[in-house]
Amino acid sequence: MQLSDSTKALGIFLFVAVAIRLISFFPSVIDHDESTYLVIADAIAQGYTYQVDYIDTKPIGIFLILAALKSLLGNAIWGYRLFAALVLGLTSFLLYRAKRIQGSSWAAALSAGIIYLILNSLYTRYGVSPNTETYFNLFTAGALLLFFKYRSFLAFFAAGLLLGIGFVIKYVVLFDGLAFGGFLLFQALRREGNVVRALGRALTMALGAALPFAAVVGYYYQIGEFDRFWFNSITVAGRYPSSRAFIHYIVFFFEFFLRFLPVTVLFVVSIWHKKTDLTVRQFGLIWSALVLLSVLIPGNAFGHYYIQFMLPFSYLAGEFFGLPRQAVPRWLQWMRNPKIGYPLLGLLFITHLFLQKKDYLDRPDNVRYAAAYINERIKPGEAIYTQEDQAIYFLTARLPLLPYVHPSLFWMDKHIEAMEIDVPLEVAKIEAARPRFMVFRYPVETERFAVYRAAHYDRVANIGDYVVIFERKD
């Protein structure tokens, strides 16, 4: 039986997604955000309430997804990384299908999906560590497929619903929705179409998009915790005014485009080449501009913000491989030569795996070693406290004594002020809990627990260069 093009594409995307990220599945920590998601998701799976018992600045969506996986994956961190890879593969497939429906060639659509996978898998802070963008882009890509495939109001409602699910994973999905709605109105105005119909479709998407957030708000209102939810989810976000200079935005903007320079060239050529379908160029530009706005507005140079932009970036860059060969600029024709392109891709893949091995396997996993040390000695019912490496909670099947799981929230003044954290009260709660083990980074901080630690704990283990474990004397 001959496989369809779509089935072949799905198989390619899932295989590439797993193969190109395989080595990154095994370290206990790639960054603190992922560890925070896992710890809070574990608490939710045990019946605790997010933004009440355990608090973070992210919307609830990412925690619900990982909490749902807890019964299947347990505390196997590699399983969550595998799941994230499969999410990326499926996102690429949805992008591929959307482009095929829009009229792109098989080569252009497939290339867009492969480019998306490569961009997400080269740099730790730009996609290797599973972040919120890894998950909400799946729903954006699904909405994109519905947006182009069907013209009924029900389809636009469903597309909005998918965007709404993405929104409760991270609120910046609003800008994807604005791009979709804006394009509908742009088409109606440019082609003298039915503006009322276009506006109706945009509002139908908006209605669908509002439902998931309304469900979240309704839940917290029903349990009597609306004020705490609103403060931690919305009010706090508005307390981080950006003080970045304009040059910072310029540097952050160009850093991405220079970092992914070969794809940047494909992106630019596809935008300006007359052989690229006009609708693809128009939609791609509107989508890219609005998503870039969402990346730059916060004023923080966090690489993972750009993962959201990788969807429209790949959407346009893939069109380079759909241009007629004779239409490709002469200085870029080598990229369309299979005898050159395929060996270069193979070399990139081998080099990438070598660098991932160096970054993720060759370095000692001190956090996992520290968790193993504790697991060998701790008894049921005993608590632990870790200052920074919150993955230790997950690996020891313990919940934090502190509601602020991400270490920066409790140790950085801007977060303490924004979230109105009563530091002495939280410190007193930790001390009253009498944790069996306390884990700190070297050099050990001396401001908050120094006296308590000196009176009640012995230093019992140094794990690698920076993890220090203390055990209660009594």
Side-chain angles (χ1 to χ4, degrees), residues 350-383:
I350 293 171
T351 303
H352 169 71
L353 291 182
F354 172 78
L355 293 175
Q356 280 204 346
K357 176 181 178 297
K358 183 179 178 181
D359 285 344
Y360 302 134
L361 292 187
D362 292 349
R363 295 179 180 179
D365 194 339
N366 294 327
V367 171
R368 192 179 298 278
Y369 299 154
Y373 179 94
I374 293 172
N375 278 330
E376 290 175 359
R377 294 162 177 81
I378 200 165
K379 298 176 182 177
E382 292 181 328

Side-chain angles (χ1 to χ4, degrees), residues 15-27:
F15 173 78
V16 172
V18 172
I20 201 171
R21 301 169 68 87
L22 182 63
I23 292 177
S24 71
F25 292 175
F26 302 105

Side-chain angles (χ1 to χ4, degrees), residues 14 34 37 50 52 66 89 210 248 286 293 330 433 455:
L14 294 178
E34 181 199 25
Y37 306 150
Y50 179 56
V52 177
L66 298 182
H248 163 83
I286 292 171
L293 190 62
R330 185 171 299 177

